[in-house]
Amino acid sequence: MTDRVSGVHHVTAIASDPQRNVEFYTDVLGLRLVKKTVNFDDKYTYHLYYGDERGTPGTILTFFPFDGAAQGRVGAGQVGATAFAIPPGSADYWVDRLESKGVSVGDSRERFGETVVPFEDHDGQPLELVESASKSDGIDPWDDSPVPVERAIRGFHGVTLNSTDFGATATVLETMGYEREGISDDGTDGRTRFRAAGDRASVVDLVDAADEQRGRQGYGTVHHVAFRTPDDESQAAWRDRLGDAGLFVTPVKDRQYFRSVYFREPGSVLFEIATDPPGFTRDETVEALGTDLKLPPWLENDREAIESRLPEIHVSERSRSETRADGGGPAGHDDSTAEADR
């Protein structure tokens, strides 16, 4: 097995209204809905996955939308912010785009030499866009995105963890192969940066939140963050290694598109180790990703009841027309720039 995880696999958060969730992440951020399924532990609730064209590990943000749920509070023991990577020179485009969509955008700042644009989604979940020169090999922005491909999100930059036990969380990250890079120079929160071995979604910023108010789970908060491992064998080895480090790690759970083990690290954040395979094309073609409701075999007999209780959701057809109006994307983007960015 490798002795280092290769970065974030996915982030899973809690949302309110599922249709508003679809509209924000496809129409505003230009991500693709790559899988429409249900929460395997709560079959009458959607589980929605957004990512790049193919649902590449390191690009996937997922949601459990609970219509009528209480709003959460982001605080200690939680993911403080989820950051997406954008191409260098794209911050002004994104500030204009978000503000034109009525999204509240914070002041841009420099952090570790990179421009960061903070904002919140429709549920108040903290998000960031980070101008990143890191390679994004293997990431293909959604072909029908309303965002021109040369400005499109390139998966995750990383996550910020608000730890209730900074030292213990740092030890877990180092056990997972993260290397400590340094302390933030933006003077805001004293974050420490750790970096994984992979070429994308490799950053974890750790904040000492021991004296901060504890977070409360609800819409607008992250449920867990998952880290990549290449196969079942390496996942089993990680399960043994983390168990030897004194952490309680769950048995393997089949999530259909990856297999998962979970543990709560001492700083109170729920971690997952997820396999890259089999991926989101195991039951849909690339062209059809996110089109139909997909259920695991053990829930197929309940399909009629499940479909009758789930609210209808759809991806807007505005995406393509907006892209063309911008002069970018499928109808008018600069192919040479797009190829250079891939």
Side-chain angles (χ1 to χ4, degrees):
M1 67 167 280
T2 175
D3 58 358
R4 301 183 68 183
V5 300
S6 51
V8 172
H9 181 282
H10 68 267
V11 174
T12 292
I14 299 171
S16 57
D17 178 72
Q19 181 58 42
R20 290 188 65 200
N21 185 258
V22 171
E23 291 170 359
F24 185 86
Y25 285 94
T26 60
D27 291 351
V28 178
L29 294 192
L31 302 177
R32 183 180 189 184
L33 178 63
V34 295
K35 193 61 63 180
K36 182 169 59 174
T37 183
V38 296
N39 182 340
F40 296 167
D41 300 317
D42 181 1
K43 61 187 179 184
Y44 297 117
T45 299
Y46 277 119
H47 194 176
L48 305 176
Y49 294 76
Y50 304 92
D52 72 346
E53 180 77 10
R54 297 173 176 270
T56 304
T59 74
I60 301 297
L61 180 59
T62 97
F63 286 92
F64 300 131
F66 295 102
D67 199 6
Q71 184 168 19
R73 179 183 62 230
V74 178
Q78 292 184 328
V79 171
T82 301
F84 297 103
I86 56 174
S90 297
D92 289 344
Y93 165 85
W94 275 102
V95 170
D96 291 344
R97 177 175 180 80
L98 293 172
E99 290 181 342
S100 74
K101 301 292 184 182
V103 178
S104 178
V105 182
D107 293 333
S108 298
R109 64 193 62 164
E110 293 293 314
R111 181 190 299 155
F112 293 101
E114 298 172 318
T115 300
V116 180
V117 179
F119 65 105
E120 294 181 347
D121 75 1
H122 58 291
D123 282 332
Q125 181 183 181
L127 300 170
E128 295 175 332
L129 297 168
V130 181
E131 286 190 351
S132 174
S134 298
K135 293 181 179 179
S136 54
D137 295 347
I139 295 177
D140 294 313
W142 181 28
D143 198 38
D144 283 344
S145 172
V147 178
V149 67
E150 63 268 25
R151 302 299 185 198
I153 286 172
R154 301 295 199 268
F156 293 122
H157 180 268
V159 292
T160 298
L161 306 180
N162 296 335
S163 174
T164 61
D165 189 335
F166 181 94
T169 303
T171 297
V172 171
L173 290 172
E174 289 168 343
T175 299
M176 295 165 62
Y178 276 84
E179 294 186 351
R180 192 180 302 228
E181 280 197 342
I183 298 174
S184 173
D185 54 2
D186 69 355
T188 55
D189 49 21
R191 66 182 57 211
T192 300
R193 174 152 296 183
F194 293 77
R195 190 178 294 274
D199 60 358
R200 61 178 181 267
S202 59
V203 167
V204 170
D205 285 348
L206 187 59
V207 173
D208 184 353
D211 296 328
E212 304 298 324
Q213 188 176 32
R214 289 293 296 255
R216 182 183 63 234
Q217 198 167 92
Y219 73 78
T221 65
V222 168
H223 185 267
H224 65 264
V225 55
F227 299 90
R228 295 176 59 196
T229 201
D231 51 37
D232 294 333
E233 181 181 6
S234 64
Q235 184 185 63
W238 278 116
R239 189 169 183 273
D240 290 343
R241 177 179 291 188
L242 293 165
D244 291 343
L247 298 163
F248 174 77
V249 186
T250 69
V252 176
K253 296 181 182 296
D254 183 1
R255 299 309 189 191
Q256 289 292 286
Y257 311 107
F258 44 84
R259 284 171 284 279
S260 304
V261 296
Y262 302 85
F263 62 98
R264 193 169 296 280
E265 55 85 24
S268 305
V269 182
L270 184 61
F271 280 10
E272 173 183 347
I273 303 287
T275 59
D276 280 358
F280 293 95
T281 55
R282 68 168 295 172
D283 57 3
E284 285 178 302
T285 64
V286 171
E287 293 74 18
L289 283 175
T291 303
D292 298 319
L293 178 68
K294 294 298 180 183
L295 298 176
W298 62 89
L299 291 180
E300 276 296 346
N301 289 338
D302 300 328
R303 175 176 286 275
E304 184 175 353
I306 290 171
E307 290 183 334
S308 70
R309 291 178 59 171
L310 291 174
E312 290 188 12
I313 57 174
H314 64 276
V315 176
S316 171
E317 292 294 331
R318 286 176 295 173
S319 298
R320 293 189 183 196
S321 60
E322 183 183 353
T323 305
R324 289 168 181 146
D326 285 348
H333 71 280
D334 180 343
D335 289 332
S336 61
T337 304
E339 289 303 317
D341 284 344
R342 291 178 182 178

